[in-house]
Amino acid sequence: MTLVLVVFLVLVALGMPIAFAIGISGFLFFLAADLSLTIPAQVSLTQTQNFAILAIPLFILAGNCLNETGLTRRLLDFASSLTGHMRAGLGHVNAVSAFMMGGVTSSAIGDATMFGRILGPAMRERSYAPGFAAGVVGSSALITTMVPPGTGLILYGTLGEVSIGKLFVAGIVPGAVMTLLIMGAVGFTARRQNLPRERPTRGTPTEVLRTGLSSIWALLFPVILIVGLRFGVFTPSEAGAFAVAYALVVGLVVYREISWRKFRLALSNTIDDVGMIMLLIVLSGGWGYALSWDRVPQTIMEVLTGISENPTVIMAIIVIALLVAGMFMDSTVLILLLTTMLVPVAEMAGIDPIHFGIVMILTLTLGLLTPPVGIVMLITVQMFRTDVGTYLRQSVYLWLALALLVVLVIFVPQTVTWLPDLIYRPAGS
């Protein structure tokens, strides 16, 4: 396994695409271990035979279709009516919209790109410091990873054989807390920089009601998914199919804004997204087999228990390692590579796999905001024409808010487990 890791890191350092670096390094394991070369082909094929994985392309298609229905504009109007009167109102609108839109985009990178284009010009016009504006857009984009149906939650649940329905529910409270903490950091920074209000007065009850009703189909989307999964109306893959039908009905019948051209664009974007993810999934099969063959989870557990047997301490050590890994690699890649290795470790340590999953996904997605290769960071820095150093300095309170969230979900597991335990409680108990 050491050879696999070294070759992988060398190939990545040489600039090889991540998917091929994973595939080549994984294949070398079978050569080094003198195993049958039919196994890599079988393992790669097996990766695609998991029925639950159908949920990934279906949810991505549903999100792309919903993005073409005008829901984004309606959600922004609703968020503005709720929070636009605050100082740095655009920052608050960004955070609240990201929470409400998690079920629509399911992608932190997509969220950052979209909000940067929509809100960026207005932020510059209102003299937001460029590093702070980049930090607001970037940190708010992470909210979408916690709100169902986040792609990271589906990948973790599928690969780790953990209930996707419970993961969807478990992400809601951390997502809401993240939204509030980011809004607190935005408000504190706004007072220090004397940033203007987006609008002079609070939205009237009539305006809030009107914009809320206009956005109701986006707000109902994750609720319907959770209820359907909880009561067995559909499986995760069937929920994905329902999501696509839901998006098309909303676009064609309710808002009547989705055209043949927009639908083709949604399909094109979905093909790009799914192609990348599925190639990674297929080529990561060799890694999973190598981890099991070399008993890597058991070895990691022995090392960790040599340091401490306290589950919280073990969780904290793993989080530090994930934060470092997230600084150098994309979160999707790390979820694919590490889930099958770390879920058994968590279970052996007595950590709830639902709790561990939320902590793991949250920690890895923070890597999207960290140098040197955080994709969301690079996107927002480029959009606001600033540099990484300025971005880090002017976003310090946003970083403190995200750090507080990580500490909270690690040391107060109830922030993650309370809602799943409540909703999935057996009848009569």
Side-chain angles (χ1 to χ4, degrees):
M1 193 63 206
T2 303
L3 173 65
V4 174
L5 181 60
V6 170
V7 170
F8 170 75
L9 293 175
V10 170
L11 292 177
V12 171
L14 292 174
M16 179 175 286
I18 293 290
F20 296 113
I22 291 172
I24 292 171
S25 58
F27 183 74
L28 285 178
F29 168 79
F30 296 94
L31 293 177
D34 197 25
L35 296 171
S36 171
L37 296 184
T38 62
I39 298 177
Q42 294 170 351
V43 169
S44 297
L45 181 63
T46 301
Q47 292 289 96
T48 67
Q49 303 303 301
N50 188 333
F51 190 69
I53 217 166
L54 272 175
I56 295 173
L58 290 170
F59 276 121
I60 291 174
L61 176 58
N64 285 327
C65 287
L66 284 171
N67 268 332
E68 301 299 331
T69 64
L71 275 177
T72 300
R73 183 183 70 254
R74 291 175 171 85
L75 285 169
L76 282 170
D77 290 342
F78 182 39
S80 179
S81 71
L82 291 172
T83 62
H85 63 283
M86 301 177 181
R87 283 194 179 276
L90 286 173
H92 295 295
V93 168
N94 194 166
V96 173
S97 298
F99 179 73
M100 294 190 295
M101 210 174 292
V104 178
T105 60
S106 302
S107 165
I109 297 172
D111 237 31
T113 304
M114 177 181 63
F115 282 119
R117 288 173 180 165
I118 294 174
L119 300 177
M123 288 182 174
R124 285 190 287 268
E125 182 182 322
R126 288 159 176 76
S127 301
Y128 282 43
F132 171 64
V136 171
V137 172
S139 58
S140 297
L142 299 192
I143 297 171
T144 193
T145 62
M146 292 288 100
V147 182
T151 304
L153 298 173
I154 299 172
L155 285 173
Y156 174 86
T158 302
L159 298 173
E161 298 182 356
V162 179
S163 168
I164 293 175
K166 288 185 178 180
L167 286 168
F168 282 177
V169 176
I172 293 175
V173 172
V177 173
M178 189 191 306
T179 303
L180 294 174
L181 288 174
I182 289 174
M183 290 177 68
V186 168
F188 187 77
T189 305
R191 285 193 294 273
R192 290 177 64 89
Q193 298 182 3
N194 196 30
L195 292 173
R197 302 176 190 272
E198 170 64 15
R199 49 192 293 167
T201 60
R202 186 189 302 269
T204 64
T206 301
E207 182 186 3
V208 172
L209 180 61
R210 175 178 57 79
T211 55
L213 289 176
S214 178
S215 309
I216 193 66
W217 297 103
L219 302 176
L220 284 176
F221 180 50
V223 175
I224 294 173
L225 291 179
I226 290 171
V227 171
L229 289 168
R230 167 62 181 89
F231 292 101
V233 177
F234 36 61
T235 63
S237 52
E238 291 168 346
F242 164 80
V244 174
Y246 182 92
L248 292 176
V249 169
V250 170
L252 292 171
V253 179
V254 181
Y255 295 140
R256 301 182 182 179
E257 289 193 24
I258 192 166
S259 61
W260 176 244
R261 182 187 63 81
K262 289 183 176 181
F263 180 63
R264 288 178 60 188
L265 179 61
L267 286 176
S268 175
N269 291 335
T270 301
I271 290 170
D272 291 341
D273 296 339
V274 172
M276 176 194 68
I277 292 174
M278 292 306 296
L279 184 61
L280 285 168
I281 291 174
V282 168
L283 295 179
S284 66
W287 269 68
Y289 191 93
L291 292 171
S292 300
W293 183 271
D294 279 354
R295 301 183 75 253
V296 172
Q298 290 84 349
T299 303
I300 292 174
M301 190 60 207
E302 290 171 3
V303 172
L304 291 176
T305 51
I307 300 173
S308 173
E309 296 186 359
N310 187 312
T312 303
V313 174
I314 291 174
M315 174 91 83
I317 295 171
I318 293 174
V319 164
I320 293 171
L322 292 176
L323 283 171
V324 174
M327 294 173 66
F328 299 96
M329 290 181 62
D330 178 68
S331 59
T332 300
V333 175
L334 289 170
I335 291 170
L336 288 169
L337 293 181
L338 299 179
T339 296
T340 52
M341 175 172 65
L342 293 181
V343 169
V345 172
E347 291 177 335
M348 284 186 281
I351 301 170
D352 185 331
I354 299 293
H355 179 211
F356 180 76
I358 297 299
V359 172
M360 176 178 172
I361 293 167
L362 174 61
T363 304
L364 290 178
T365 52
L366 284 179
L368 295 171
L369 291 178
T370 56
V373 293
I375 297 175
V376 169
M377 175 195 70
L378 296 176
I379 289 172
T380 56
V381 164
Q382 182 179 16
M383 280 185 170
F384 290 95
R385 299 183 180 89
T386 185
D387 57 79
V388 173
T390 302
Y391 151 80
L392 291 173
R393 288 194 305 274
Q394 296 179 350
S395 302
V396 61
Y397 297 114
L398 292 164
W399 272 106
L400 290 174
L402 294 173
L404 178 59
L405 176 68
V406 173
V407 171
L408 184 66
V409 295
I410 291 175
F411 292 98
V412 188
Q414 291 77 13
T415 56
V416 174
T417 59
W418 169 75
L419 196 55
D421 289 345
L422 178 67
I423 292 178
Y424 280 84
R425 179 184 301 164
S429 63

